């Protein structure tokens, strides 16, 4: 029998899986409140984290509970990277009674393969993240989801908290999921894996025989998050438990951050209808900028041919 070394103790695979199940189910109960007839959306890329989140939610909210689960996958238009993962999500959904929804950047008239060569000083991930969140929220709203789950694990949470601290972005930090306040037009997000370290989600996926996509995005190197990944990894190496420490400090100050925020006045973006604070949403602003650049690059290609 294989044993998993964990927290100075050894767990056999079966106990390790149960141990993770228990912690994730506790988080789900803590973060959301669902009734018969509710719909829950899950943002699923097909990678290990989102597939584990989907599997857990599918085991909690099966037909008997009367809660309908919707997996939403966004195709960013990255050749060779996204298509195989979409197939994995689609397969899981058809075998597990989950409704599958696919949205694509091509609906916006651009793909990440168009954007990456022309995004200049910004990282491609800046565009990718904004467009993905916009399409995800739009689809979750269309399926009438009460909540939207994402697969962020403990490492992701610690990196995001550090990133917002360093940027001095208290607003963004206060608005990190799980959301307990419903804001107009925004589906509240929750994060069932927020206490599970990345290595454990990988182990869980492998031990439970879950199919997932482990391809690496060709634009990954440029992600700002990687700097914070290294910092958090170093902290964890030197002071084991640092990631939990960052998360629990954040949980302590979150109510204070929230109470210090002005009640932001969200309204619909006049161009696309997504909620925004400004005269147009971030996604429309970035789209306008990048469409012009992509258009110029294509025109240049035509001239060169
Ligand atoms: Fe998008 Fe960046 Fe993730 Fe690639 S690494 S899928 S560009 S956010
Ligand atoms: Zn807009």
């Amino acid at each position: 029998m294989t044993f998993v070394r964990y927290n100075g103790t050894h767990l056999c695979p079966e106990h390790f899986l149960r141990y993770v199940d228990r912690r994730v189910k506790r988080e789900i109960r803590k973060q959301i409140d669902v009734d018969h007839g509710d719909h829950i959306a899950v943002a699923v890329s097909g990678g290990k984290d989102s597939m584990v989140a989907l599997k857990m939610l599918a085991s909690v909210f099966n037909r008997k509970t009367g809660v309908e689960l919707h997996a939403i996958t966004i195709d960013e238009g990255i050749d060779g990277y996204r298509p195989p993962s979409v197939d994995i999500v689609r397969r899981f959904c058809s075998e597990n009674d989950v409704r599958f929804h696919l949205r694509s950047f091509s609906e916006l008239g651009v793909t990440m393969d168009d954007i990456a060569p022309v995004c200049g000083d910004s990282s491609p991930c800046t565009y990718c993240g904004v467009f993905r969140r916009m399409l995800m929220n739009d689809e979750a709203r269309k399926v009438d989801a009460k909540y939207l789950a994402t697969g962020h694990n403990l490492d992701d949470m610690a990196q995001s908290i550090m990133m917002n601290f360093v940027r001095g972005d208290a607003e963004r930090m206060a608005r990190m999921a799980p959301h307990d306040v419903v804001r107009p037009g925004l589906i509240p997000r929750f994060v069932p894996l927020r206490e599970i370290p990345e290595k454990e989600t990988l182990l869980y996926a492998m031990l439970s025989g879950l199919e997932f996509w482990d391809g690496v995005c060709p634009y990954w190197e440029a992600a700002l998050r990687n700097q914070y990944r290294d910092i958090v990894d170093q902290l964890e190496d030197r002071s084991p438990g640092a990631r939990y420490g960052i998360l629990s400090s954040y949980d302590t100050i979150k109510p204070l951050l929230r109470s210090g925020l002005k009640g932001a006045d969200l309204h619909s973006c006049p161009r696309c209808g997504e909620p925004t604070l400004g005269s147009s949403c971030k996604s429309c602003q970035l789209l306008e900028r990048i469409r012009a650049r992509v258009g110029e690059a294509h025109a240049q290609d035509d001239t060169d041919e």
Side-chain angles (χ1 to χ4, degrees):
M1 187 186 286
T2 326
F3 283 88
V4 180
R5 194 160 162 256
Y6 181 78
N7 263 355
T9 59
H10 287 78
L11 295 175
C12 72
E14 196 188 321
H15 280 94
F16 172 77
L17 292 173
R18 266 199 255 153
Y19 176 70
V20 175
D21 274 345
R22 233 186 1 255
R23 280 187 300 167
V24 174
K25 285 178 182 164
R26 191 187 59 202
E27 276 303 315
I28 295 172
R29 276 196 303 273
K30 209 158 86 182
Q31 293 180 35
I32 63 173
D33 181 15
V34 284
D35 292 313
H36 195 92
D38 283 341
H39 295 253
I40 294 182
V42 193
V44 192
S45 67
K48 62 184 190 320
D49 301 308
S50 60
M51 287 304 291
V52 168
L54 179 61
K55 179 183 160 64
M56 295 274 190
L57 287 161
S59 76
V60 174
F61 300 111
N62 49 36
R63 217 166 254 229
K64 277 182 262 160
T65 61
V67 173
E68 184 117 44
L69 216 51
H70 302 258
I72 306 174
T73 301
I74 308 294
D75 180 354
E76 303 93 341
I78 304 172
D79 197 29
Y81 171 64
R82 187 52 72 216
S85 66
V86 173
D87 293 341
I88 290 173
V89 185
R90 201 194 301 271
R91 209 158 29 242
F92 181 94
C93 291
S94 74
E95 289 165 6
N96 291 276
D97 206 15
V98 177
R99 294 220 198 159
F100 174 68
H101 306 259
L102 181 65
R103 297 289 299 266
S104 165
F105 279 23
S106 58
E107 297 168 39
L108 309 172
V110 285
T111 66
M112 279 314 295
D113 287 338
D114 292 330
I115 294 171
V118 296
C119 61
D121 290 341
S122 327
S123 151
C125 305
T126 306
Y127 292 89
C128 192
V130 170
F131 298 155
R132 184 164 1 94
R133 272 192 299 277
M134 187 273 282
L135 287 172
M136 191 59 80
N137 188 59
D138 185 54
E139 190 65 19
R141 214 173 32 215
K142 279 192 178 140
V143 304
D144 197 22
K146 187 172 182 185
Y147 298 100
L148 169 65
T150 68
H152 292 97
N153 58 43
L154 176 65
D155 298 54
D156 299 324
M157 295 300 298
Q159 289 155 19
S160 299
I161 293 163
M162 294 292 279
M163 217 149 76
N164 289 328
F165 251 120
V166 172
R167 285 175 174 159
D169 198 341
E171 288 237 353
R172 192 185 285 234
M173 189 139 61
R175 300 216 164 92
M176 283 175 62
H179 299 147
D180 42 21
V181 178
V182 181
R183 304 174 75 215
L186 280 176
I187 305 303
R189 294 197 304 271
F190 71 109
V191 269
L193 309 183
R194 83 194 288 265
E195 293 208 344
I196 312 293
E198 183 169 4
K199 278 187 187 147
E200 287 180 38
T201 63
L202 175 63
L203 194 56
Y204 184 95
M206 290 168 73
L207 290 175
S208 62
L210 183 63
E211 191 185 11
F212 64 91
W213 170 239
D214 63 354
V216 178
C217 172
Y219 311 121
W220 184 81
E221 293 260 329
L224 175 68
R225 177 172 284 276
N226 291 334
Q227 291 172 23
Y228 290 90
R229 180 187 303 274
D230 293 344
I231 291 166
V232 171
D233 285 353
Q234 282 169 22
L235 281 173
E236 183 70 33
D237 273 353
R238 286 184 205 163
S239 321
R243 289 167 305 192
Y244 282 113
I246 293 169
L247 188 65
S248 73
S249 300
Y250 170 69
D251 286 344
T252 308
I253 61 170
K254 189 173 176 181
L256 301 172
L257 282 168
R258 291 234 164 134
S259 64
L261 275 184
K262 300 180 280 309
D265 191 13
L266 281 179
H267 54 265
S268 297
C269 168
R271 298 193 207 174
C272 72
E274 278 295 295
T276 181
L277 290 169
S279 55
S280 67
C281 73
K282 182 90 178 158
S283 171
C284 284
Q285 290 168 22
L286 289 182
L287 256 183
E288 187 173 31
R289 190 196 308 166
I290 207 68
R291 271 187 190 139
R293 289 197 206 157
V294 168
E296 278 167 27
H298 285 170
Q300 186 63 44
D301 288 348
D302 291 345
T303 319
D304 294 348
E305 274 167 13

